[in-house]
């Protein structure tokens, strides 16, 4: 759990911090972008611990898919918590919430809606990748 504590200690000023054996990967990108970019670039994240500002179901599924071994979420949604528990990923959080809202706070986050009805990690990745492409257009 030293890696998780190191990731947490470096979260200030970042949206995502990954740590494995003291090696840090830092990001200031918002939403699921940091994790999606790393997966798309074929980064080997297996065994890393993650500290993230917001972990909903979408991010939790991406973490499980790429082998993240422990998670700290400043804000964790109940569906995200359920995924971490399903895949036996130890977690800590600052605030537990019912759901993750979109950036303007008017509705559920579009990424959360995208994975709402799936528990399959590969399907979730495929759906999220398609949603990201759709939103870029």
């Amino acid at each position: 759990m030293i890696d998780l504590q190191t990731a947490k200690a470096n979260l200030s000023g970042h949206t995502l911090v990954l740590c494995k054996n003291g090696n840090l990967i830092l990001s200031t990108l918002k939403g699921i972008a940091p994790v999606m970019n790393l997966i798309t670039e074929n980064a080997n994240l297996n065994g890393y611990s993650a500290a993230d500002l917001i972990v909903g179901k979408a991010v939790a599924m991406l973490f499980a898919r790429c082998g993240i071994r422990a998670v700290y979420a400043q804000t964790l949604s109940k569906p995200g918590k359920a995924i971490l528990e399903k895949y036996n990923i130890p977690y800590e959080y600052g605030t537990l919430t019912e759901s993750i809202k979109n950036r303007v706070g008017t509705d559920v986050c579009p990424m959360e809606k995208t994975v709402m009805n799936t528990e399959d990690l590969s399907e979730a990745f495929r759906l999220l990748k398609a949603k990201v492409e759709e939103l870029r257009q």
Side-chain angles (χ1 to χ4, degrees):
M1 295 306 257
I2 292 171
D3 285 338
L4 185 60
Q5 299 311 315
T6 301
K8 280 174 62 175
N10 286 278
L11 189 56
S12 181
H14 300 95
T15 55
L16 173 68
V17 178
L18 300 173
C19 183
K20 181 177 179 182
N21 301 324
N23 179 42
L24 294 176
I25 299 172
L26 308 167
S27 181
T28 57
L29 297 175
K30 293 183 179 181
I32 68 167
V35 183
M36 285 295 287
N37 289 352
L38 289 165
I39 293 172
T40 302
E41 295 165 2
N42 295 315
N44 181 0
L45 303 179
N46 190 49
Y48 274 81
S49 293
D52 199 324
L53 292 181
I54 301 171
V55 177
K57 183 177 180 181
V59 169
M61 293 184 86
L62 292 174
F63 283 165
R65 184 179 187 275
C66 62
I68 296 296
R69 67 174 233 187
V71 172
Y72 167 76
Q74 192 168 3
T75 299
L76 176 65
S77 74
K78 288 183 179 178
K81 178 178 176 279
I83 292 295
L84 296 175
E85 289 172 351
K86 177 178 181 170
Y87 290 97
N88 299 311
I89 301 171
Y91 62 89
E92 300 174 10
Y93 61 87
T95 302
L96 185 64
T97 185
E98 289 296 323
S99 64
I100 304 302
K101 300 289 184 196
N102 63 19
R103 292 191 180 150
V104 293
T106 58
D107 196 5
V108 174
C109 167
M111 299 305 159
E112 297 299 288
K113 285 183 179 181
T114 300
V115 297
M116 191 175 289
N117 296 315
T118 188
E119 296 291 315
D120 181 85
L121 299 179
S122 294
E123 179 184 20
F125 176 70
R126 182 182 53 75
L127 291 169
L128 290 167
K129 189 173 180 181
K131 186 65 170 181
V132 167
E133 289 302 318
E134 174 191 319
L135 293 174
R136 283 187 181 153
Q137 295 178 6

